[in-house]
Amino acid sequence: MRYQVTVEGRTFDIEVTPDGQVWVDNQPLHVDLESIDGLPLYSLLVDHRSYDAHVEKNENGDQQVVVAGRPYRATMQGENIPTTQVTQHQKDEGPSEISAPLPGWLVDVRVAEGESVGAGDVVAVLESMKMHLELRTARDGVVRSISASAGQVISQGEIIAVIDDLPRA
Amino acid sequence: MRYQVTVEGRTFDIEVTPDGQVWVDNQPLHVDLESIDGLPLYSLLVDHRSYDAHVEKNENGDQQVVVAGRPYRATMQGENIPTTQVTQHQKDEGPSEISAPLPGWLVDVRVAEGESVGAGDVVAVLESMKMHLELRTARDGVVRSISASAGQVISQGEIIAVIDDLPRA
Amino acid sequence: MIKKVLVANRGEIAVRVLRTCKELGFETVAIYSEADREALHVRFADEAYCIGPPPPKDSYLRGDHILQVALEAGAQLIHPGYGFLADSPEFARACNDAGVTFVGPLPETIEQLSDKAAVRRLARRLRLHILPGTKRSLDDAQLLASADKIGYPLLLKAAAGGSGIGIQIINSHSELETAIPTARREARTTFGDGALYLERLIENARHIEVQLLADAEGHIINLGERECSIQRRHQKLIEEAPSRALDSSLRRKILRSAVRIARTVGFIGAGTVEFLLDPEGRYYFLKVNPRLQVEHTVTEAVTGVDIVKEQLRIASGRSLRYSQKEVKPRGWALECRILAEDPFRNYTASIGRISRLHEPGGPGVRVDSGIYEGLAITPYYDSLLAKLVTWGETRGVAIVRMRRALEEYRIHGVMTNLDLHRALLNSHRFFGGQFHTRFLEEQFVPKEPEEEEYLAAALTTALLDWRRRAGAQTQSNGVANRWKMLGRWELLGGGDP
Amino acid sequence: MIKKVLVANRGEIAVRVLRTCKELGFETVAIYSEADREALHVRFADEAYCIGPPPPKDSYLRGDHILQVALEAGAQLIHPGYGFLADSPEFARACNDAGVTFVGPLPETIEQLSDKAAVRRLARRLRLHILPGTKRSLDDAQLLASADKIGYPLLLKAAAGGSGIGIQIINSHSELETAIPTARREARTTFGDGALYLERLIENARHIEVQLLADAEGHIINLGERECSIQRRHQKLIEEAPSRALDSSLRRKILRSAVRIARTVGFIGAGTVEFLLDPEGRYYFLKVNPRLQVEHTVTEAVTGVDIVKEQLRIASGRSLRYSQKEVKPRGWALECRILAEDPFRNYTASIGRISRLHEPGGPGVRVDSGIYEGLAITPYYDSLLAKLVTWGETRGVAIVRMRRALEEYRIHGVMTNLDLHRALLNSHRFFGGQFHTRFLEEQFVPKEPEEEEYLAAALTTALLDWRRRAGAQTQSNGVANRWKMLGRWELLGGGDP
């Protein structure tokens, strides 16, 4: 089985033979991955170098491998593996929603309905865990609606404002 | 629902009403049992007294409740609960087997086939985790067979000797 | 009679205080909001009472509820921890009036210390330097005029703010003009008070503070200084004791200044006097905190004094057990605040459930944690999960020990700033002690992770996929191990496997 | 050049040594048996090599394999920990001959110290008291005759034994007659050598030992004494430093005796001289351990010295960093050995998988652990899971802190002796320091658990059944909490919930 694994921009060519031997970039490596008690917890030995690895989902639901306490996103290609589509499919059209990435309290709403906004403008400020979080719009537009007001408790994912595209010239 | 719960010899009469209120020995108690993250781990408040409880199986496979780090065996009776049979059903007849409660090495076999043994006699000595463990016979009898010898590695549950009852007088 | 103590706080500091109470043989009472039913301090205390819904204003700030619980539970003492009601003279007074001893200074002292203008006047009388700044009730035009007089850069602060919230750095007149309206609005929303004031920004300043203990008989001692210059967004991140920035003569002066100001206000209990130190060795008085601080642990590590125990003793009317001469600091200590936030994405707070936890141990390591495996981290309170403290004979040893302990620490389920700490502790400038309060935000560049860890992540990903496909026959690691081991025996040329 | 250290051990002590190596910036190499692939020390080290099947004689005692790994991995130092090869002059010699430095005394010193008869002669020459006893090669008749001369009670010991294994107390001639054949057979099976000897049993004796550090230039210092009188089956269970049994004049004498004997044998490295102290204050020399001891942690806690670091420094040819005067012990420290065994069922060993682990923390607490959640505890090695160490200004503070830490500790999945420790630490005689080496087995009666915990167990059992039956609608604790809280608001008469 041959894999192309990309970790944070670095790509490794990894081959695992039917008897479990591992070749990386066509060099043999002595690799021993031990799963601990059915947990997503592993002890990895690579030519006797010892790593601890933990496989988990990150906030966005993507799988990540935590090595020595540091999280790495890994994507994989290989025979029978649907190529991971990391296409930069950005919606350039239609309304965009500004929602709360965390639950918290709305400290401030900086825009009014009907107001024009530019990419990067702060639409609202959310407080969560004693931190202020600025919620910005990713592109130019007009505020169609605002569905929350300062002082209000907000759930995760709750929509705070909807921004319409600028009318086409 | 009414329960009779016996914990290490002490029996409590516990009633849980349909709305979850708890009465113990006909006195109302404010009881709040909080399960943590689907784990067998609980935070228990009894009239505001705080306990941590952990439910697990002990070595014999019986359920036990660990309160504040100390294990308690609890048995329960109630409507629709098959009465827990804790009968002292001791086999007084037929051959008895001496087996290893832990894996380890057999350090010594103290009896020979055909030898008479008395209740409490040491049949063999097992070493496990640097400890010596004496394996004794529970009653009088004659050693029918010995199936392991000193120095041998023994698995958990492996039979080391079989003791026959003394021929009836 | 066995005493009963109510701890009017949550998280790591509630656990911290409960620990000492237990050691003293006191009965303990915890309070919790609806969001904290699972919290460690609830499980840790002898008794626990729910005091309200999650928002602090409805629970941990409800002094009336908390006092009611204390009376119902029969507590003789209330320890406020830090934050929440710790600086509230009203709460302290209500407790004392109800016959429950508030663990802290007299309500009048707390009141006096919370009046920032009065404290500044007092400091000036004692001939301490204070930061040039304005009053707290200026209008926009007055602020702009004062700013030009004080000179830039300066800090625009919300009068009702605290703990580093509501502070902005202003570099010019025009920046200030733009900043004022937003700052007022935010201050009004966040603190319910739009008042702002200005303060001179000292560049390359270091934050030095002095830990004090004082009893009701007027004995005051210092437990040495702490340095807390590694900050993010004006909030302390790493603290240490003692400070590398002080030589013995400057140390003596600062310690003496701290004791003098405490004596003047009739301070009783444990408190901290905060200073800013400029690169020329001039120190500016900032304020007196009439309570336990997050970073009291580093002082405990070097002095061996349990500060919470001394607080409880003093609150019980006993006199100090130490004379100044008997306080003999040894070695060096560091504290890293472990926060649930993503330092590489603008310190965004992170919530979730602790899915796995492995804490460091071994010589010279102390962990003060408010979490455990399975606990949900909610967005309602601050993001402090735990404090990691290391001690060493020298600052160098404390640092290498902290590096080692940070490498051991594993928290899964929420993002933490462990990695930022690792990077900071590995930086040469931190090791050299060359930093100031804006070091992290202005000068620090974290190191890239080690190259070989990328490969480890890639191998784990590929092998897990391969195993899923290959199924059961390769699950048995034991067999693979034995095979490899046999290979090794041949290599080593001997031994019956 | 960065040094590389191979740690020729497993479990908590391997982790302990690896920690200091990491702090020193050394590269680390672990070795493991097939049973230890998951072990913490493997995950902890930079590199790890399998050296054989589970039985120690096939892995951790295979000096040839271990040395081969050291050479292959390019390690310059081998730290043996305690047990296994730590006392083996052959292994020390093989390492040194192969150009890998053995962290310990010279092989000749280890050899000399392992010859018990020679060491006794040496002690006698230095006018130290030694326990009346016999040679190690007597036949049955000679043993019986010698026993009558020495007097009863006495100890029958296997000559090849150690660590408290193969020791029996004999109270009379007839008891000895019965015991000899069985003891010979067991010694032959366990140690491969049936030789026995006798030693006077000192009643109500206390175990006192002195920690030493010595460099190659002949500087020797002591780091004070430890007391290890709380034992079970002649194995230490709780240790402390300093000892309550010594006044300053006796302490001075014992420390001086220890240094003298070490000087006489040309000791280099870290070592311990063990004594028995009788109730009259007479102390008997027992032996010199040329290695790190399990309980070195309590000495570290009071002196602040990292003993492993000093071992590595000395092994690297450097001289001692401390003069005797610079060693300034502070406070008191205790260590509890946390073992996987059932103390209430004859100390039966327990195996299984650690299903949940919560370690204590906070001020004055150190945990040295070889386990983590998910790890399988196998029957192949000793049952030491972790060591819990507390420090306090006084012995009393160290004790109450230990009680508190023991209450916090949770280990699920295997039986442990945590409960025995809790009971011991709560006993008045332990608190009073009135104990001796047979205190636990002869005099200690554990307290019954608290009555109310029975009810807690009963309630948990009943409510879990009730919830299972009631199904989903009662799972939502949040609703129940809110309901109860509303009730509370009404009670408190205020606040909008």
Side-chain angles (χ1 to χ4, degrees):
Chain A
M1 187 75 194
R2 223 180 170 103
Y3 299 89
Q4 299 275 114
V5 186
T6 305
V7 179
E8 312 278 345
R10 288 158 182 78
T11 299
F12 301 91
D13 176 85
I14 298 174
E15 189 185 350
V16 188
T17 65
D19 63 350
Q21 296 196 336
V22 177
W23 297 68
V24 175
D25 296 338
N26 299 310
Q27 299 292 320
L29 269 186
H30 180 185
V31 181
D32 176 9
L33 183 73
E34 176 88 5
S35 162
I36 289 160
D37 192 24
L39 299 168
L41 177 68
Y42 302 89
S43 169
L44 175 69
L45 296 179
V46 183
D47 273 353
H48 300 295
R49 300 289 302 175
S50 178
Y51 304 90
D52 77 286
H54 190 271
V55 177
E56 62 182 23
K57 297 234 186 281
N58 67 10
E59 287 165 14
N60 308 322
D62 298 338
Q63 182 173 291
Q64 62 183 12
V65 182
V66 183
V67 176
R70 282 170 284 271
Y72 296 90
R73 250 172 323 125
T75 56
M76 196 165 52
Q77 296 181 13
E79 308 142 37
N80 308 320
I81 298 177
T83 306
T84 320
Q85 297 280 345
V86 204
T87 48
Q88 300 283 326
H89 180 64
Q90 288 197 335
K91 283 194 302 177
D92 287 326
E93 309 266 326
S96 82
E97 295 166 345
I98 307 294
S99 63
L102 292 172
W105 294 271
L106 212 51
V107 171
D108 197 9
V109 178
R110 298 260 175 96
V111 296
E113 288 183 13
E115 195 177 320
S116 293
V117 289
D121 280 1
V122 176
V123 172
V125 179
L126 188 72
E127 182 178 332
S128 188
M129 303 184 85
K130 283 196 175 178
M131 302 284 303
H132 281 193
L133 189 63
E134 293 174 335
L135 307 181
R136 293 165 191 271
T137 170
R139 56 207 162 99
D140 303 341
V142 173
V143 179
R144 182 204 285 184
S145 64
I146 293 173
S147 39
S149 55
Q152 192 176 323
V153 174
I154 303 290
S155 333
Q156 184 156 14
E158 190 171 332
I159 291 163
I160 291 159
V162 180
I163 313 284
D164 273 333
D165 269 2
L166 285 177
R168 303 209 178 183
Chain B
M1 186 77 196
R2 218 176 173 104
Y3 300 90
Q4 298 276 115
V5 186
T6 305
V7 178
E8 312 277 347
R10 286 156 183 80
T11 299
F12 301 91
D13 176 84
I14 299 174
E15 188 183 351
V16 188
T17 64
D19 63 351
Q21 296 196 337
V22 178
W23 298 68
V24 175
D25 298 337
N26 299 311
Q27 299 293 319
L29 268 185
H30 181 186
V31 181
D32 176 9
L33 183 72
E34 175 88 5
S35 162
I36 289 159
D37 193 23
L39 299 168
L41 178 67
Y42 301 89
S43 170
L44 175 69
L45 296 180
V46 183
D47 271 352
H48 300 295
R49 299 290 301 173
S50 177
Y51 303 90
D52 75 286
H54 190 270
V55 177
E56 61 181 24
K57 297 235 184 282
N58 69 9
E59 286 164 14
N60 309 321
D62 298 337
Q63 181 173 293
Q64 61 183 13
V65 182
V66 183
V67 177
R70 282 171 283 273
Y72 295 90
R73 250 172 323 125
T75 56
M76 198 166 50
Q77 296 180 14
E79 309 141 38
N80 308 320
I81 299 176
T83 305
T84 319
Q85 297 280 343
V86 203
T87 48
Q88 300 284 327
H89 181 64
Q90 287 195 338
K91 282 195 303 178
D92 286 326
E93 309 268 325
S96 83
E97 294 166 347
I98 308 293
S99 63
L102 292 172
W105 294 271
L106 211 51
V107 172
D108 198 9
V109 177
R110 297 261 175 95
V111 296
E113 288 182 13
E115 198 177 317
S116 294
V117 289
D121 280 2
V122 176
V123 173
V125 180
L126 188 72
E127 182 177 332
S128 188
M129 304 186 82
K130 282 198 176 173
M131 302 284 302
H132 281 192
L133 189 64
E134 293 175 334
L135 307 180
R136 294 164 190 270
T137 170
R139 55 206 162 101
D140 303 340
V142 173
V143 180
R144 182 204 284 184
S145 63
I146 292 174
S147 40
S149 55
Q152 192 176 322
V153 175
I154 303 291
S155 333
Q156 183 156 15
E158 192 171 331
I159 291 163
I160 291 159
V162 179
I163 314 284
D164 272 334
D165 268 2
L166 284 177
R168 305 211 174 180
Chain C
M1 188 196 67
I2 287 179
K3 277 199 183 143
K4 205 180 238 189
V5 182
L6 183 147
V7 181
N9 216 305
R10 64 176 302 284
E12 71 82 20
I13 195 60
V15 174
R16 163 70 192 90
V17 174
L18 288 168
R19 281 182 166 135
T20 288
C21 292
K22 296 207 166 191
E23 291 177 13
L24 292 170
F26 293 172
E27 289 279 305
T28 53
V29 181
I31 53 165
Y32 61 97
S33 79
E34 263 187 90
D36 273 344
R37 173 62 185 87
E38 299 180 0
L40 186 55
H41 72 284
V42 173
R43 300 176 59 210
F44 211 86
D46 296 320
E47 299 171 33
Y49 292 75
C50 185
I51 49 152
K57 68 174 170 52
D58 301 324
S59 48
Y60 296 106
L61 290 171
R62 288 295 303 248
D64 52 344
H65 292 175
I66 294 168
L67 186 51
Q68 195 62 40
V69 167
L71 293 171
E72 191 185 320
Q76 292 92 5
L77 295 166
I78 290 188
H79 193 299
Y82 53 69
F84 294 135
L85 296 167
D87 298 340
S88 162
E90 296 79 21
F91 182 61
R93 188 167 290 127
C95 290
N96 293 347
D97 288 352
V100 185
T101 305
F102 177 82
V103 179
L106 298 177
E108 304 84 274
T109 312
I110 304 176
E111 204 146 47
Q112 187 183 358
L113 292 171
S114 68
D115 180 345
K116 296 184 191 180
V119 174
R120 280 167 68 93
R121 282 196 300 274
L122 173 72
R124 215 180 279 126
R125 273 211 310 281
L126 293 173
R127 303 220 195 114
L128 291 167
H129 298 295
I130 52 173
L131 291 176
T134 69
K135 286 196 221 153
R136 272 136 217 277
S137 51
L138 303 186
D139 64 24
D140 297 11
Q142 289 171 316
L143 280 172
L144 283 162
S146 307
D148 295 342
K149 252 190 284 176
I150 297 170
Y152 300 90
L154 42 71
L155 293 171
L156 176 63
K157 294 185 170 186
S163 300
I165 300 175
I167 301 180
Q168 273 182 79
I169 295 171
I170 304 290
N171 290 300
S172 67
H173 185 93
S174 65
E175 252 186 64
L176 184 60
E177 256 184 318
T178 320
I180 288 174
T182 319
R184 277 214 197 280
R185 191 173 42 193
E186 278 198 24
R188 207 170 291 125
T189 333
T190 313
F191 309 111
D193 176 3
L196 302 174
Y197 68 103
L198 294 168
E199 207 171 72
R200 159 85 63 79
L201 171 68
I202 307 284
E203 297 205 74
N204 299 323
R206 303 173 77 124
H207 179 105
I208 307 288
E209 60 186 34
V210 178
Q211 176 69 54
L212 300 175
L213 288 179
D215 65 19
E217 296 161 32
H219 303 123
I220 304 186
I221 59 171
N222 75 73
L223 299 180
E225 84 280 6
R226 296 186 285 260
E227 173 160 4
C228 321
S229 300
I230 304 293
Q231 308 184 352
R232 64 123 177 70
R233 302 185 163 198
H234 312 285
Q235 291 183 291
K236 298 164 188 169
L237 203 59
I238 302 181
E239 300 97 342
E240 58 187 287
S243 164
R244 270 203 67 164
L246 305 187
D247 58 24
S248 60
S249 115
L250 186 53
R251 174 170 296 120
R252 209 173 317 120
K253 274 192 261 177
I254 288 192
L255 296 178
R256 204 182 301 144
S257 296
V259 170
R260 261 175 69 214
I261 201 154
R263 192 179 305 286
T264 309
V265 300
F267 195 87
I268 299 173
T272 300
V273 184
E274 297 194 340
F275 299 96
L276 271 191
L277 178 69
D278 76 13
E280 283 73 48
R282 181 190 290 238
Y283 58 94
Y284 298 85
F285 166 79
L286 293 180
K287 59 177 171 160
V288 183
N289 289 321
R291 52 168 167 85
L292 198 63
Q293 309 253 117
V294 177
E295 61 273 20
H296 72 281
T297 56
V298 291
T299 302
E300 293 186 329
V302 295
T303 60
V305 174
D306 179 338
I307 294 173
V308 174
K309 181 167 155 185
E310 299 310 315
Q311 284 188 299
L312 292 166
R313 282 178 51 91
I314 293 165
S316 306
R318 303 174 68 174
S319 50
L320 282 184
R321 293 189 298 160
Y322 307 91
S323 68
Q324 187 64 59
K325 267 211 310 222
E326 288 168 310
V327 177
K328 289 179 188 147
R330 175 158 99 175
W332 213 283
L334 295 173
E335 172 181 281
C336 288
R337 299 191 186 192
I338 313 301
L339 306 174
E341 64 177 28
D342 187 344
F344 303 111
R345 279 199 299 166
N346 210 18
Y347 304 106
T348 315
S350 173
I351 57 168
R353 208 177 264 281
I354 305 295
S355 58
R356 191 166 179 87
L357 177 65
H358 184 85
E359 291 174 347
V365 172
R366 166 177 173 184
V367 180
D368 271 49
S369 174
I371 62 170
Y372 62 91
E373 211 173 283
L375 181 71
I377 305 302
T378 65
Y380 301 108
Y381 312 108
D382 73 21
S383 59
L384 183 61
L385 300 178
K387 302 181 307 199
L388 176 57
V389 181
T390 59
W391 176 90
E393 288 171 281
T394 60
R395 186 168 185 270
V397 173
I399 289 176
V400 296
R401 204 160 260 174
M402 183 62 86
R403 285 183 194 161
R404 188 267 292 169
L406 286 165
E407 285 298 327
E408 291 180 25
Y409 220 139
R410 296 284 180 276
I411 301 174
H412 293 285
V414 293
M415 272 300 295
T416 70
N417 64 346
L418 276 168
D419 233 26
L420 173 67
H421 280 301
R422 291 183 188 120
L424 272 164
L425 267 287
N426 276 311
S427 91
H428 288 295
R429 290 189 57 139
F430 182 83
F431 198 89
Q434 298 159 312
F435 46 74
H436 52 75
T437 55
R438 287 160 69 198
F439 166 72
L440 173 58
E441 278 150 326
E442 294 179 359
Q443 302 185 308
F444 175 65
V445 184
K447 242 179 45 179
E448 284 287 297
E450 292 197 41
E451 194 65 29
E452 49 181 25
E453 289 181 5
Y454 292 94
L455 174 59
L459 285 167
T460 303
T461 306
L463 278 170
L464 287 181
D465 181 82
W466 184 79
R467 286 201 187 160
R468 259 191 300 271
R469 285 157 193 274
Q473 81 262 26
T474 55
Q475 296 291 349
S476 164
N477 285 296
V479 174
N481 274 347
R482 182 172 282 277
W483 181 85
K484 270 178 299 188
M485 209 203 37
L486 285 169
R488 170 147 298 281
W489 295 154
E490 288 158 22
L491 193 71
L492 291 167
D496 37 4
Chain D
M1 188 196 65
I2 287 180
K3 277 200 183 142
K4 204 181 238 190
V5 182
L6 183 147
V7 181
N9 216 305
R10 65 178 300 286
E12 71 83 19
I13 195 60
V15 173
R16 163 71 191 90
V17 174
L18 289 168
R19 282 183 165 135
T20 288
C21 291
K22 295 208 165 186
E23 291 177 12
L24 292 169
F26 293 173
E27 290 278 305
T28 54
V29 182
I31 54 165
Y32 62 97
S33 80
E34 264 186 88
D36 273 345
R37 172 63 184 85
E38 297 180 1
L40 186 56
H41 72 285
V42 172
R43 300 175 59 210
F44 211 87
D46 296 320
E47 298 172 33
Y49 293 75
C50 184
I51 50 152
K57 69 176 170 50
D58 300 323
S59 49
Y60 296 106
L61 289 170
R62 286 298 302 250
D64 52 344
H65 291 174
I66 294 168
L67 187 50
Q68 196 63 40
V69 167
L71 294 170
E72 193 185 317
Q76 292 94 3
L77 295 166
I78 290 187
H79 194 298
Y82 53 69
F84 293 136
L85 296 167
D87 298 339
S88 162
E90 297 78 19
F91 181 62
R93 189 167 287 126
C95 290
N96 294 346
D97 289 351
V100 186
T101 304
F102 177 82
V103 178
L106 297 176
E108 302 85 309
T109 312
I110 304 175
E111 204 146 46
Q112 187 184 354
L113 292 172
S114 68
D115 180 344
K116 297 184 190 178
V119 174
R120 280 168 68 92
R121 282 196 301 275
L122 173 72
R124 214 180 281 125
R125 271 210 313 280
L126 293 173
R127 302 220 195 116
L128 291 168
H129 298 294
I130 54 172
L131 292 175
T134 69
K135 284 195 227 156
R136 272 137 216 277
S137 51
L138 303 186
D139 63 24
D140 296 10
Q142 290 171 317
L143 280 172
L144 283 161
S146 306
D148 294 342
K149 250 190 285 177
I150 298 170
Y152 301 89
L154 41 70
L155 293 171
L156 176 63
K157 293 185 169 187
S163 299
I165 299 174
I167 301 180
Q168 274 182 77
I169 296 170
I170 304 290
N171 291 300
S172 67
H173 185 95
S174 65
E175 250 185 68
L176 184 60
E177 256 182 318
T178 320
I180 288 174
T182 318
R184 278 215 198 280
R185 192 174 42 195
E186 278 197 25
R188 208 170 290 125
T189 335
T190 314
F191 309 112
D193 177 3
L196 302 173
Y197 69 102
L198 294 167
E199 209 171 70
R200 159 84 62 79
L201 171 68
I202 307 285
E203 297 203 76
N204 299 324
R206 302 173 76 123
H207 179 106
I208 308 287
E209 60 186 34
V210 178
Q211 175 69 54
L212 300 175
L213 288 179
D215 67 18
E217 295 161 33
H219 303 123
I220 305 186
I221 60 171
N222 75 74
L223 299 182
E225 83 280 5
R226 294 186 286 259
E227 173 159 5
C228 320
S229 298
I230 304 293
Q231 308 184 351
R232 64 119 179 72
R233 303 185 163 198
H234 312 286
Q235 292 182 292
K236 298 165 188 167
L237 202 59
I238 302 181
E239 300 98 340
E240 58 187 289
S243 164
R244 269 203 68 163
L246 306 186
D247 58 23
S248 61
S249 114
L250 187 53
R251 174 171 294 120
R252 210 175 314 121
K253 275 192 259 177
I254 288 192
L255 296 177
R256 204 183 298 144
S257 296
V259 170
R260 260 172 71 214
I261 202 155
R263 194 180 305 286
T264 310
V265 300
F267 195 87
I268 300 173
T272 301
V273 184
E274 297 194 338
F275 299 95
L276 270 192
L277 178 70
D278 75 14
E280 283 72 48
R282 182 190 289 238
Y283 58 93
Y284 299 84
F285 166 79
L286 292 179
K287 59 178 171 160
V288 183
N289 289 321
R291 52 167 167 88
L292 198 62
Q293 309 255 115
V294 176
E295 61 272 19
H296 72 280
T297 55
V298 290
T299 303
E300 292 186 329
V302 293
T303 60
V305 174
D306 179 339
I307 295 174
V308 173
K309 180 166 157 186
E310 299 311 313
Q311 285 188 299
L312 292 165
R313 283 178 51 92
I314 293 165
S316 306
R318 303 173 69 175
S319 50
L320 282 184
R321 293 190 298 160
Y322 306 92
S323 68
Q324 187 63 58
K325 268 210 308 219
E326 288 169 311
V327 177
K328 289 179 189 147
R330 175 159 98 174
W332 214 282
L334 295 173
E335 172 181 281
C336 287
R337 299 192 187 192
I338 313 301
L339 307 174
E341 65 179 28
D342 187 343
F344 303 111
R345 279 199 298 166
N346 210 19
Y347 305 107
T348 314
S350 174
I351 57 170
R353 208 177 265 280
I354 306 295
S355 58
R356 189 163 181 91
L357 178 65
H358 184 84
E359 292 173 346
V365 172
R366 167 177 172 183
V367 181
D368 271 50
S369 174
I371 63 171
Y372 62 90
E373 210 172 283
L375 181 71
I377 305 302
T378 65
Y380 302 109
Y381 313 108
D382 72 22
S383 58
L384 183 61
L385 300 177
K387 302 182 307 201
L388 177 58
V389 181
T390 58
W391 177 89
E393 288 172 279
T394 62
R395 185 167 184 271
V397 174
I399 289 177
V400 295
R401 205 161 259 173
M402 182 62 86
R403 285 184 194 160
R404 188 267 292 171
L406 286 166
E407 285 299 326
E408 291 180 26
Y409 219 138
R410 294 286 179 277
I411 301 174
H412 292 285
V414 293
M415 271 299 295
T416 70
N417 65 347
L418 277 169
D419 233 25
L420 174 66
H421 280 302
R422 291 182 189 123
L424 273 165
L425 268 286
N426 276 313
S427 91
H428 289 293
R429 291 189 57 137
F430 183 83
F431 198 89
Q434 298 159 314
F435 46 73
H436 52 76
T437 56
R438 287 159 69 198
F439 165 73
L440 173 58
E441 279 149 326
E442 295 180 359
Q443 303 186 305
F444 174 65
V445 184
K447 239 180 44 178
E448 284 288 297
E450 293 195 40
E451 194 65 27
E452 51 180 25
E453 289 181 4
Y454 292 95
L455 174 59
L459 285 168
T460 304
T461 307
L463 279 171
L464 287 181
D465 180 81
W466 185 79
R467 288 202 186 159
R468 258 189 302 271
R469 286 157 193 272
Q473 81 262 29
T474 56
Q475 296 291 347
S476 165
N477 284 294
V479 174
N481 274 346
R482 182 171 281 277
W483 182 85
K484 271 177 301 190
M485 208 201 40
L486 285 170
R488 171 148 295 287
W489 293 155
E490 287 158 21
L491 192 71
L492 289 167
D496 38 2

